[in-house]
């Protein structure tokens, strides 16, 4: 058996290593266009920023070590230019020697990845304008930063790479302008979750340009002049284009392999393409979204590594192993804040026309009495029909990663939000709480499903006081004085029973507090006193003051909100 793998890094390198563990006698050829066959491309922004100082630490395996350990024929600086499926051959160009030759195969695994999208704008090819995909890309950017010490940089795109580059260039003392054509950074998450990142970026001095695009880059006497939509122009010494990636499907399309609706390579559950002897993995393939069931591109390292293993199992072992799909579980650090997601967001569920409910919680990352506790904000989406979890998004400064991993596990096993309340999670004061933030998220969602409380969301409050409706702030008077939703009536929850006569039981009322706990208690009091039209503001004032457009909450007040307890 002869297996040829086109493309290294996550999918291809893991496929090669797995293939050798399955079949010691197989001939395995790994063809890689670049000079590095297995490297940590997710670490490149941190190398540019200096947090990772040694370039060689990014090399997961060198071609020589990978070849020796697994007895592989590793050919770097070799580009597969064409596939002939009828002849079971690949055309390969040796980029060093400049010669072209044909390589035969019995089975072929494609792992071409995805390439940074370069917008069709004037000046995109100028010196000082870069994309980031490979170690040589990172070396060029870092060399420019260290050699020319630019005062200002423009980062176009607010996805993973854009956010990480904004942080790491800021670490280098560079003034950063982050330009995003959407109305929020991290388009995969909901706008109210992204709002936490907007604040963090602005607080750290990054200039955000939302709903804005780079229209041209020009060379001028001061370096580069970056022209934005809306006639604004920025003088910069460095421009990073990180406006998205596109699947590398040229080889697949040229070989007549079927492509999916999203432009990626179409594969079945065994990662087999439309040709039975060709498999495909990684950023270039369309896989099933485990929540919506739709095939889509999910360009993440975790799924690519798993797919490489499965493709090797099926190509060499004939084991019929299936790749179930992906939840798109992902995480990013932006300065002192961490944001993570898994499953379907609210915007995805709306796009799929799926009926859903959502809830917010703001819990301490560990026992609040133990020093260093911060806030973890969790937004759940879930089904009102069978109570199953649809998705989770979380943001905070500590402990976000382990909570999103628990929620991803719950999603993969189709757990209901009620079952989240029963999860037996590790607790000691430095690490968690008796009721973990995941448990608390489950309790709040269960209360909604059980009819214990109705909820309103922050984006429903615009004009809410029209038609005689009431906003009821049940926090303390000092909290109310620090900041509140305009037009709200303040009755602290501990005074509520004594002041019921001040309220109309027939009036539609939304109660709110800092994060929702006291307002939930207030709603239960009012409901049992005959108030029939009462709702709790999900996530309370923390969510509202972060997500509401035009909010002017000060950094000092925000810190008070983040650190305060119910």
């Amino acid at each position: 058996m002869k297996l040829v793998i086109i493309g290294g890094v996550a999918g291809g390198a893991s496929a090669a290593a797995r293939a050798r563990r399955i079949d010691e006698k197989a001939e395995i050829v790994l063809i890689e266009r670049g000079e590095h066959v297995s490297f940590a491309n997710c670490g490149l922004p941190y190398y540019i920023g200096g947090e990772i100082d040694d370039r060689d630490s990014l090399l997961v395996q060198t071609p020589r070590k990978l070849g020796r350990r697994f007895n592989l024929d590793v050919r770097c600086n070799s580009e597969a230019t064409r596939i002939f499926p009828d002849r079971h051959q690949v055309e390969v160009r040796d980029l060093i020697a400049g010669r072209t030759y044909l390589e035969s195969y019995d089975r072929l695994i494609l792992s071409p990845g995805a390439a940074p999208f370069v917008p069709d704008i004037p000046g995109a090819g100028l010196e000082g304008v870069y994309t980031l995909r490979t170690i040589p890309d990172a070396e060029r950017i870092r060399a420019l930063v260290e050699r020319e010490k630019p005062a200002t940089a423009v980062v176009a795109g607010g996805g993973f790479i854009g956010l990480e580059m904004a942080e790491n260039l800021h670490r280098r003392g560079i003034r950063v302008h982050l330009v995003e054509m959407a109305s929020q950074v991290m388009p995969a998450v909901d706008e109210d979750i992204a709002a936490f990142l907007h604040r963090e970026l602005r607080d750290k001095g990054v200039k955000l340009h939302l709903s804005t695009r780079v229209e041209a880059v020009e060379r001028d006497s001061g370096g580069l002049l970056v022209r934005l939509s809306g006639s604004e122009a920025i003088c910069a010494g460095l421009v990073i284009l990180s406006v998205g990636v596109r699947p590398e499907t040229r080889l697949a399309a040229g070989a007549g392999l079927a492509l999916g609706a999203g432009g990626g390579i179409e594969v079945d559950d065994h990662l087999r393409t439309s040709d039975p002897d060709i498999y495909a993995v990684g950023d270039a393939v369309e896989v099933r979204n485990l929540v919506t069931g739709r095939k889509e591109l999910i360009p993440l390292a975790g799924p690519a590594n798993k797919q490489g293993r499965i493709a090797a199992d099926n190509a060499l072992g004939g084991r019929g192993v299936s790749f179930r799909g992906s939840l798109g579980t992902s995480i990013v650090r932006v300065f002192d804040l961490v944001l993570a997601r898994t499953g379907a967001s609210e915007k995805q569920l709306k796009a799929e026309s799926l009926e859903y409910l959502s809830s917010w919680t703001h819990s301490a990352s560990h026992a609040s009495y133990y020093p260093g506790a911060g806030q973890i904000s969790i937004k759940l989406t879930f089904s009102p029909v069978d109570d199953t979890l649809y998705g989770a998004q979380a943001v905070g400064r500590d402990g976000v990663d382990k909570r999103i991993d628990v929620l991803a596990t719950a999603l993969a096993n189709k757990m209901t939000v009620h079952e989240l309340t029963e999860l037996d999670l590790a607790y000691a004061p430095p690490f968690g709480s008796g009721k973990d933030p995941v448990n608390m998220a489950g309790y709040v969602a269960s209360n909604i499903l059980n009819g214990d409380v109705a909820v309103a969301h922050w984006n429903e409050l615009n004009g809410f006081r029209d038609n005689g409706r009431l906003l009821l702030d049940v926090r303390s008077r000092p909290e109310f004085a620090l900041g509140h939703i305009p037009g709200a009536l303040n009755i602290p929850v501990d005074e509520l029973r004594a002041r019921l006569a001040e309220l109309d039981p027939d009036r539609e009322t939304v109660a709110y507090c800092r994060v929702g706990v006291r307002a939930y208690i207030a709603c239960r009091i009012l409901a049992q006193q005959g108030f029939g039209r009462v709702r709790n503001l999900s996530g309370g004032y923390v969510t509202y003051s972060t997500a509401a457009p035009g909010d002017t909450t000060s950094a000092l007040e925000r810190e008070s909100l983040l650190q305060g307890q119910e």
Side-chain angles (χ1 to χ4, degrees), residues 171-226:
R171 281 175 58 90
R172 289 282 191 171
I174 300 170
R175 166 74 166 163
V176 178
H177 291 259
L178 181 59
V179 181
E180 169 56 54
M181 64 183 295
S183 61
Q184 64 172 82
V185 300
M186 287 293 286
V189 305
D190 291 327
E191 60 177 324
D192 40 18
I193 282 283
F196 285 82
L197 293 186
H198 296 167
R199 280 188 161 172
E200 181 71 7
L201 288 161
R202 287 170 176 144
D203 284 350
K204 291 298 190 292
V206 173
K207 175 67 174 176
L208 269 183
H209 304 262
L210 301 176
S211 301
T212 306
R213 69 181 68 209
V214 173
E215 295 196 332
V217 183
E218 303 169 3
R219 176 71 63 187
D220 74 355
S221 58
L224 298 169
L225 185 67
V226 184

Side-chain angles (χ1 to χ4, degrees), residues 17 138 157 273 332 349 358 365 457 554:
T273 69
V332 64
L349 294 168
S358 66
S365 56
H457 294 283
S554 69

Side-chain angles (χ1 to χ4, degrees), residues 508-543:
E508 185 178 354
T509 300
V510 167
Y512 75 90
C513 58
R514 192 183 74 88
V515 300
V517 177
R518 285 170 288 177
Y520 168 64
I521 295 168
C523 286
R524 294 302 300 155
I525 292 170
L526 294 172
Q528 293 174 82
Q529 292 289 341
F531 288 71
R533 304 174 66 197
V534 179
R535 291 186 288 165
N536 184 3
L537 179 61
S538 185
Y541 189 64
V542 169
T543 298

Side-chain angles (χ1 to χ4, degrees), residues 460-510:
E460 298 177 50
L461 298 189
N462 186 28
F464 181 81
R465 290 186 301 127
D466 299 342
N467 302 317
R469 294 175 291 190
L470 173 67
L471 279 170
L472 180 62
D473 188 321
V474 299
R475 297 175 300 159
S476 67
R477 290 182 182 84
E479 289 176 281
F480 184 81
L482 186 62
H484 58 270
I485 301 174
L489 171 67
N490 181 218
I491 301 179
V493 66
D494 294 338
E495 301 176 15
L496 186 58
R497 292 181 182 88
R499 298 176 61 180
L500 290 176
E502 299 177 33
L503 304 175
D504 181 351
D506 297 320
R507 189 178 184 186
E508 185 178 354
T509 300
V510 167

Side-chain angles (χ1 to χ4, degrees), residues 30-105:
L30 178 56
I31 297 170
E32 167 56 44
R33 179 171 52 195
E35 62 181 290
H36 304 292
V37 68
S38 181
F39 66 94
N41 51 1
C42 296
L44 297 179
Y46 303 101
Y47 171 69
I48 293 168
E51 197 168 351
I52 297 173
D53 192 52
D54 182 6
R55 190 213 68 157
D56 288 347
S57 66
L58 296 170
L59 301 176
V60 180
Q61 284 279 8
T62 65
R64 183 170 178 271
K65 287 182 178 178
L66 190 67
R68 287 184 62 185
R69 174 161 295 179
F70 295 102
N71 189 25
L72 306 174
D73 183 354
V74 180
R75 303 179 192 174
C76 289
N77 298 301
S78 298
E79 181 178 12
T81 53
R82 217 173 151 192
I83 301 170
F84 302 98
D86 55 334
R87 291 158 30 194
H88 280 63
Q89 289 181 323
V90 177
E91 181 182 83
V92 183
R93 179 168 177 77
D94 185 327
L95 300 177
I96 301 298
R99 68 184 185 93
T100 299
Y101 61 92
L102 293 174
E103 190 70 37
S104 64
Y105 67 85

Side-chain angles (χ1 to χ4, degrees), residues 331-353:
I331 191 166
V332 64
R333 188 194 75 189
V334 181
F335 294 103
D336 297 327
L337 213 57
V338 177
L339 182 147
R341 63 172 293 268
T342 187
S345 65
E346 188 173 6
K347 67 168 67 173
Q348 284 179 294
L349 294 168
K350 284 180 179 177
E352 297 290 334
S353 299

